C-alpha cells in the first residue's frame, strides 16, 4: 500500500525541528512544510505537525496563471506520465520532474550546472517546438495528479478550506 501521508510528513529532518522547538533563548524557530501538499487535509496535517506555513508548488502548475508551458501543463494530466523522479539530466542540478524518455536515457548525468543546462538547452527547445514532452523538463512534485486547471484563487480556496 502506498504511503498516503504528504511528503513533508515522511521527512523527519523537516518535522523534527518543528516539534523540538528551540534551544537558544530568544530564538524562535519557524518552519514551513513543503512537499506533496495538494489539499486542505495536507495543509491541516502540516500545521498540526508544527509548521507555521505550508508551501505549495505543483498544486498551481496547471492554473491558467501559471507560467508553465501548455505542453508541460498537458503532461501533468496525461496518463502516459505515471511517476516523478529526481534527476540532473536537464540542468546538472537535482530537480524532481515527471519521468520521461530523456530522464531515462540520462540517469547518470553529472552534477555540472550550468554546463549541462547550457548543453541541453537547444535539445529542450527543439523538443518543445516539436511538442515532444518526452524530451523536455517537466518539473513536478509527487502529488502532480492532484493538480487541476482551476484558477489560482480557486486552488487557494481549496487549500485553505474556504
Amino acid at each position: 500500500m502506498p504511503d498516503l501521508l504528504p511528503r513533508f510528513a515522511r521527512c523527519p529532518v523537516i518535522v523534527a525541528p518543528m516539534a523540538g522547538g528551540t534551544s537558544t533563548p530568544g530564538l524562535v524557530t519557524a518552519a514551513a512544510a513543503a512537499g506533496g501538499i495538494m489539499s486542505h487535509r495536507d495543509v491541516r496535517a502540516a500545521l498540526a505537525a508544527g509548521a507555521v506555513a505550508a508551501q505549495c508548488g505543483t498544486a498551481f502548475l496547471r492554473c491558467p496563471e501559471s507560467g508553465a508551458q501548455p505542453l508541460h501543463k498537458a503532461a501533468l494530466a496525461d496518463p502516459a506520465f505515471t511517476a516523478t523522479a529526481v534527476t540532473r539530466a536537464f540542468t546538472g542540478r537535482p530537480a524532481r520532474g515527471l519521468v520521461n524518455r530523456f530522464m531515462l536515457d540520462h540517469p547518470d548525468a553529472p552534477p555540472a550546472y550550468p554546463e549541462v543546462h547550457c548543453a541541453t538547452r537547444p535539445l529542450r527547445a527543439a523538443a518543445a517546438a516539436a511538442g515532444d514532452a518526452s524530451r523536455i523538463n517537466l518539473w513536478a512534485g509527487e502529488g502532480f495528479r492532484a493538480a487541476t486547471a482551476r484558477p489560482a484563487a480557486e486552488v487557494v480556496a481549496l487549500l485553505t478550506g474556504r
Side-chain angles (χ1 to χ4, degrees), residues 72 90-91 97-98 100 102-103 124 133 135-139:
H72 187 172
F90 297 103
T91 67
L98 298 180
N100 64 9
F102 196 87
M103 286 174 70
R124 291 180 281 124
R135 305 249 177 238
I136 64 169
N137 49 304
L138 300 167
W139 305 135

Side-chain angles (χ1 to χ4, degrees), residues 117-146:
H117 173 70
C118 293
T120 63
R121 181 180 298 150
L123 303 172
R124 291 180 281 124
D132 182 1
S134 71
R135 305 249 177 238
I136 64 169
N137 49 304
L138 300 167
W139 305 135
E142 292 177 328
F144 73 96
R145 280 289 180 236

